[in-house]
């Protein structure tokens, strides 16, 4: 059985209060190990360690030295790939075939992706005329913000945590990470890697625990935290923003979505089916960018629905190590209950269950796990709760539409605004519709195709701010203007 300790100032630290909680494998509900919950003392120690690290060798390093260390971290994650993969698959239950292509490679890449942006980003400069005729020169100068709290979710644990830790460290900050209580393993393992690569003590810290009255709340309330970057539910984001208001700390919020997929009759239908299948069902539907509302132009509605049902029927549920499996369990029993409550609600709200809708029989060994069936509904009203609320499970509703104007209205008729996927071979239409989507990200004839130099983030209740490329640089640094009178 494993033990997951906090990682503070370069050392693994047990909970001083002795408080631990169980980490369970959602495949079969078996116990993976016990997690040491950080109390106020451990959280304060982690923040202090990060603050001190900014005054130590880390704070004096050149950008090139920092980047060279972070490249080592990326390489070391790749050298210990199997351990990261094993840890991530145990915590989440996801198929190894998926985690080995998405989670772990991106976890490593996030430490390299920002080095070029940093190295190539120009600084601003303005010459100012002055009455004495001699002028003044203004030069923009970026400095690290200081101590960054990174609060991350369970759906892509390593990927989403390093997506923030990578640029934060590249910009010279120190971090205190609060990974999700559901997925403590890879953040902990990364502590070992940081030590192996010579990242100075206190630069990377991990505190385990929950949100309210636990590590999450203690961390966001700590006045020595200079900025908070969060990924998770919109409601949690609102609470964290209230904490951040004390002391006017900066925030970056990457929150929930209820993303539309729009399938026009002039699409390549096989491409659209393949992409929509991925966007609705990969990672058991637990992707913030996932498509939960699919709108299909009426002439191809029946054909598209039939093809989606055929493909859903082919999904292979199984253990992470089953090389044929492409569909795992949900992350936890608690999340299973939430998703099943939406499965019941959909029926109460009048949905036709086209496929799925329940709990699969996985056999005696796995029936205790967090398994649910991949599900497609039709027939829900536009104002049904299942159409309005994020389920975050392997399910989508498919509905016909008749005109471009109508579908733009339907797609935007949501409090969220994370992303949209448009399927059409008509490029003018693609651009026209993309421009009208109220979302931070729009894909045309693809989904989750990522270029880490681009902006990432949500509109409306899907978030505040943008990260990625130069946007990460802007969030993780403080820009100061130096005005030099000549
Ligand atoms: P969550 O909001 O429940 O938890 C996220 C993190 O916040 C966890 O570490 C949790 O312990 C912590 N937390 C909870 N309450 C807190 C509090 N009061 N103070 C401080 N920390 C607190 O989210 P989740 O269930 O882990 O993740 C799923 C959600 O995340 C979905 O809504 C999904 O859409 C969203 N998400 C968004 C993105 C994005 O990039 N926009 C990416 C992935 C997931
Ligand atoms: O690819 C990324 O950088 C990213 N932040 C993905 C988010 C996925 C949400 O579940």
């Amino acid at each position: 059985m494993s033990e997951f300790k906090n990682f503070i100032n370069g050392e693994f630290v047990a909970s001083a209060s002795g408080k631990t909680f169980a980490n369970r494998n959602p495949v079969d509900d078996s116990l993976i190990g016990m997690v040491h919950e950080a109390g106020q003392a451990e959280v304060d120690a982690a923040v202090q360690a990060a603050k001190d690290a900014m005054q130590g060798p880390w704070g004096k390093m050149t950008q090139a030295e920092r980047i060279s260390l972070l490249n080592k971290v990326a390489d070391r994650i790749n050298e210990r790939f199997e351990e990261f993969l094993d840890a991530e698959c145990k915590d989440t239950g996801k198929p190894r075939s998926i985690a080995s292509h998405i989670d772990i490679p991106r976890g490593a890449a996030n430490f390299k992706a920002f080095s070029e942006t940093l190295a190539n980003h120009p600084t601003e400069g303005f010459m100012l005329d002055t009455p004495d005729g001699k002028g003044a020169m203004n030069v923009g100068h970026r400095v690290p913000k200081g101590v960054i709290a990174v609060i991350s979710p369970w759906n892509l644990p390593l990927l989403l945590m390093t997506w923030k830790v990578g640029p934060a460290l590249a910009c010279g900050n120190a971090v205190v990470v609060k990974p999700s209580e559901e997925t403590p393993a890879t953040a902990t393992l990364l502590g070992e890697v940081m030590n192996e690569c010579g990242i100075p003590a206190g630069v990377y810290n991990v505190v385990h625990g929950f949100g309210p009255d636990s590590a999450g709340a203690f961390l966001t309330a700590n006045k020595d935290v200079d900025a908070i970057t969060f990924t998770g539910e919109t409601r949690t984001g609102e609470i964290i923003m209230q904490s951040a208001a004390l002391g006017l700390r900066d925030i970056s919020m990457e929150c929930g979505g209820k993303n539309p997929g729009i399938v026009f009759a002039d699409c390549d239908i096989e491409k659209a089916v393949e992409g929509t299948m991925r966007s609705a069902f990969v990672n058991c539907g637990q992707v913030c960018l996932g498509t939960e509302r699919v709108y299909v132009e009426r002439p191809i509605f029946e054909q598209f629905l039939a093809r989606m049902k055929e493909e859903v029927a082919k999904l292979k549920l199984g253990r992470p190590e089953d090389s044929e499996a492409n569909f795992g369990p949900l992350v936890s029993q608690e999340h299973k209950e939430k998703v099943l409550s939406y499965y019941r609600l959909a029926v109460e709200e009048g949905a036709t269950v086209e496929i799925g809708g329940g709990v699969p029989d996985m056999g005696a060994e796995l029936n205790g796990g967090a398994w649910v069936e991949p599900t497609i509904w039709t027939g829900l009203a536009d104002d049904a709760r299942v159409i309005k609320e994020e389920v975050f499970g392997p399910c989508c509703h498919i509905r016909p539409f008749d005109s471009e104007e109508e579908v733009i209205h339907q797609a935007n008729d949501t409090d969220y605004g994370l992303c949209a996927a448009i399927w059409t071979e008509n490029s003018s239409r693609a651009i026209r519709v993309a421009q009208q989507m109220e979302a931070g990200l729009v894909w045309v004839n693809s989904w989750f195709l990522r270029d880490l130099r681009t902006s990432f983030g949500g509109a409306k209740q899907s978030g505040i701010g943008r990260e990625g490329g130069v946007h990460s640089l802007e969030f993780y640094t403080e820009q100061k203007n130096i005005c030099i009178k000549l």
Side-chain angles (χ1 to χ4, degrees):
M1 194 180 74
S2 308
E3 243 190 318
F4 303 93
K5 291 187 180 164
N6 303 291
F7 184 69
I8 301 173
N9 207 19
E11 290 180 1
F12 287 96
V13 177
S15 154
S17 67
K19 261 173 130 180
T20 57
F21 60 94
N23 180 22
R24 295 195 169 275
N25 185 333
V27 167
D28 55 7
D29 207 33
S30 57
L31 186 64
I32 303 169
M34 299 306 290
V35 189
H36 287 258
E37 183 176 350
Q40 185 78 58
E42 290 87 353
V43 171
D44 289 350
V47 174
Q48 188 61 46
K51 198 174 169 187
D52 293 346
M54 296 297 298
Q55 305 307 319
W58 182 249
K60 297 180 181 61
M61 267 182 211
T62 63
Q63 186 169 286
E65 286 167 337
R66 279 199 311 266
I67 283 172
S68 149
L69 281 181
L70 296 177
N71 284 339
K72 273 196 200 169
V73 171
D75 294 341
R76 191 67 187 137
I77 293 174
N78 284 326
E79 282 161 17
R80 298 185 66 175
F81 195 93
E82 280 302 315
E83 288 168 82
F84 276 96
L85 184 58
D86 192 50
E88 203 75 305
C89 291
K90 273 193 185 137
D91 269 5
T92 60
K94 65 178 81 187
R96 285 172 72 88
S97 55
I98 290 172
S100 62
H101 281 91
I102 302 176
D103 302 62
I104 313 304
R106 261 296 303 281
N110 284 336
F111 284 101
K112 288 198 170 170
F114 300 92
S115 51
E116 282 206 10
T117 305
L118 270 180
N120 296 322
H121 191 66
T123 191
E124 73 178 21
F126 293 101
M127 293 303 299
L128 178 72
D129 286 343
T130 54
D132 65 4
K134 293 186 179 158
M137 181 188 269
N138 290 282
V139 183
H141 178 61
R142 287 190 177 276
V143 292
K145 275 210 170 116
V147 178
I148 310 285
V150 177
I151 315 263
S152 52
W154 44 257
N155 61 321
L156 297 161
L158 182 70
L159 187 160
L160 290 174
M161 186 259 290
T162 54
W163 162 245
K164 292 168 178 298
V165 170
L169 298 190
C171 291
N173 301 282
V175 298
V176 181
V177 174
K178 211 299 279 169
S180 168
E181 52 274 31
E182 305 288 356
T183 52
T186 46
T188 311
L189 192 52
L190 190 59
E192 288 182 23
V193 166
M194 294 288 176
N195 281 350
E196 288 166 352
C197 295
I199 299 286
V203 170
Y204 173 81
N205 305 276
V206 180
V207 289
H208 291 299
F210 304 86
D213 298 319
S214 183
F218 300 150
L219 179 58
T220 55
N222 188 307
K223 293 265 181 43
D224 286 329
V225 165
D226 297 295
I228 302 170
T229 178
F230 167 74
T231 306
E233 284 189 20
T234 299
R235 297 289 85 85
T236 313
E238 289 174 345
I239 295 167
I240 289 177
M241 279 180 75
Q242 291 177 17
S243 269
L246 288 170
L248 281 191
R249 277 92 49 76
D250 204 358
I251 46 159
S252 170
M253 297 269 142
E254 299 187 339
C255 300
K258 187 74 184 178
N259 311 302
I262 305 177
V263 184
F264 286 100
D266 59 12
C267 72
D268 174 328
I269 195 159
E270 284 309 308
K271 265 197 248 166
V273 168
E274 189 274 333
T276 308
M277 279 298 298
R278 274 194 304 118
S279 71
F281 300 110
V282 78
N283 210 38
C284 203
Q286 303 164 120
V287 181
C288 58
L289 308 161
T291 303
E292 291 194 1
R293 297 179 292 137
V294 186
Y295 299 94
V296 183
E297 204 166 0
R298 201 172 299 273
I300 63 162
F301 176 76
E302 293 299 340
Q303 186 193 359
F304 183 87
L305 176 61
R307 283 289 297 112
M308 287 287 290
K309 286 164 68 173
E310 272 172 30
E311 291 302 314
V312 166
K314 287 188 213 159
L315 287 171
K316 171 88 167 56
L317 283 63
R319 288 179 179 277
E321 52 280 7
D322 177 348
S323 58
E324 308 273 286
N326 55 8
F327 190 92
L330 292 167
V331 75
S332 65
Q333 299 295 336
E334 189 188 345
H335 193 51
K336 176 179 171 182
E337 284 318 307
K338 176 183 164 189
V339 171
L340 287 178
S341 75
Y342 278 104
Y343 282 18
R344 290 189 292 273
L345 180 64
V347 173
E348 283 160 29
E349 292 190 310
T352 300
V353 181
E354 297 286 346
I355 190 163
V359 176
D361 182 0
M362 298 298 296
E365 275 188 12
L366 301 188
N367 272 345
W371 301 90
V372 296
E373 287 177 333
T375 295
I376 294 178
W377 302 291
T378 54
L380 283 170
D382 290 339
D383 62 355
R385 276 183 55 203
V386 173
I387 296 297
K388 294 288 181 201
E389 297 172 16
E390 181 188 48
V391 180
F392 218 56
C395 51
C396 64
H397 178 260
I398 310 187
R399 175 207 200 289
F401 71 88
D402 293 298
S403 75
E404 194 177 298
E405 194 185 15
E406 174 198 1
V407 79
I408 289 170
H409 170 75
Q410 285 163 347
N412 287 335
D413 186 16
T414 167
D415 290 338
Y416 291 105
L418 189 52
C419 74
I422 300 167
W423 301 91
T424 174
E425 293 297 304
N426 177 333
S427 47
S428 298
R429 186 206 296 277
I431 295 166
R432 191 167 63 234
V433 176
Q435 285 173 331
Q436 292 176 80
M437 288 296 99
E438 295 170 1
L441 303 143
V442 182
W443 278 284
V444 174
N445 294 330
S446 68
W447 176 77
F448 208 160
L449 182 58
R450 296 279 288 112
D451 177 335
L452 302 187
R453 294 168 299 183
T454 61
S455 66
F456 185 98
K460 302 199 275 190
Q461 292 190 21
S462 288
I464 297 182
R466 295 290 181 269
E467 296 197 37
V470 68
H471 309 280
S472 295
L473 177 66
E474 276 162 11
F475 179 70
Y476 292 109
T477 57
E478 197 73 56
Q479 162 106 352
K480 79 172 72 153
N481 183 63
I482 302 178
C483 178
I484 306 157
K485 174 74 180 67
L486 302 177

